[in-house]
């Protein structure tokens, strides 16, 4: 299995009723595996053994190899892109802060909650609170995203 096959993304957004403030997109859930981490690392030319070498990860205090941050963030982008298509990449923005390590065996749930609608010049933007949490409910990533609703 190639690393990009774990999460599929439709290239055309589905027409849906606009989200109300406080509503969430359907969450994405994925189990992190060392095989997935290693495949991603190899496919994208990673050089940091913290992602692939258990002994180095243990010496660094993490106990296990770490998932690359972008692999934790990607499902959030995919959720937004599937719903808003070009409105994410043309006039949208995505920011994230990685706040806890993600290791093999973690079950990560990614969420996007609509928190604000605003006008930015001629663009109607919908702003989301975004986060990813592990199986214990601990947040591992927090951020915000905005999408251009008028691009739908």
């Amino acid at each position: 299995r190639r690393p990009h096959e774990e999460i599929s993304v439709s290239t055309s957004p589905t027409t849906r009723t606009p989200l109300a403030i406080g509503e969430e997109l359907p969450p994405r859930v994925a189990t992190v595996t060392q095989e997935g981490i290693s495949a991603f690392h190899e496919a994208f030319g990673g050089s940091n053994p913290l992602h692939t070498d258990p002994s180095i990860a243990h010496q660094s205090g993490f106990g296990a190899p770490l998932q690359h941050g972008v692999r934790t963030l990607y499902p959030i982008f995919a959720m937004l892109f599937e719903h808003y298509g070009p409105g994410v990449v043309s006039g949208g923005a995505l920011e994230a802060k990685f706040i806890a390590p993600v290791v093999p065996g973690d079950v990560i749930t990614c969420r996007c909650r609509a928190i604000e609608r605003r006008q930015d010049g001629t663009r109607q933007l919908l702003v989301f609170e975004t986060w990813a949490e592990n199986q214990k409910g601990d947040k591992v990533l927090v951020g915000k995203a905005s999408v251009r609703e008028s691009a739908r």
Side-chain angles (χ1 to χ4, degrees), residues 17-101:
T17 305
L19 288 180
I21 300 304
E23 282 190 292
E24 291 186 24
L25 293 174
R28 290 279 180 106
V29 180
T31 300
V32 177
T33 65
Q34 184 57 55
E35 293 78 18
I37 293 171
S38 295
F40 181 89
H41 189 79
E42 184 178 322
F44 293 98
S47 60
N48 187 344
L50 194 55
H51 300 291
T52 56
D53 187 327
S55 63
I56 289 178
H58 184 71
Q59 291 171 12
S60 298
F62 292 108
L66 302 179
Q67 173 160 272
H68 299 76
V70 72
R71 285 192 84 228
T72 304
L73 180 61
Y74 178 75
I76 291 171
F77 174 80
M79 292 163 64
L80 294 165
F81 189 83
E82 284 183 357
H83 199 83
Y84 294 97
V88 176
V89 293
S90 175
L94 182 61
E95 62 183 60
K97 181 177 182 180
F98 303 99
I99 59 174

Side-chain angles (χ1 to χ4, degrees), residues 85-94 118 120 123-127 145-151:
V88 176
V89 293
S90 175
L94 182 61
R118 70 172 188 252
D120 182 22
R123 300 179 303 174
Q124 171 77 26
L125 296 178
L126 180 57
V127 180
S146 61
V147 298
R148 196 171 109 189
E149 287 189 293
S150 56

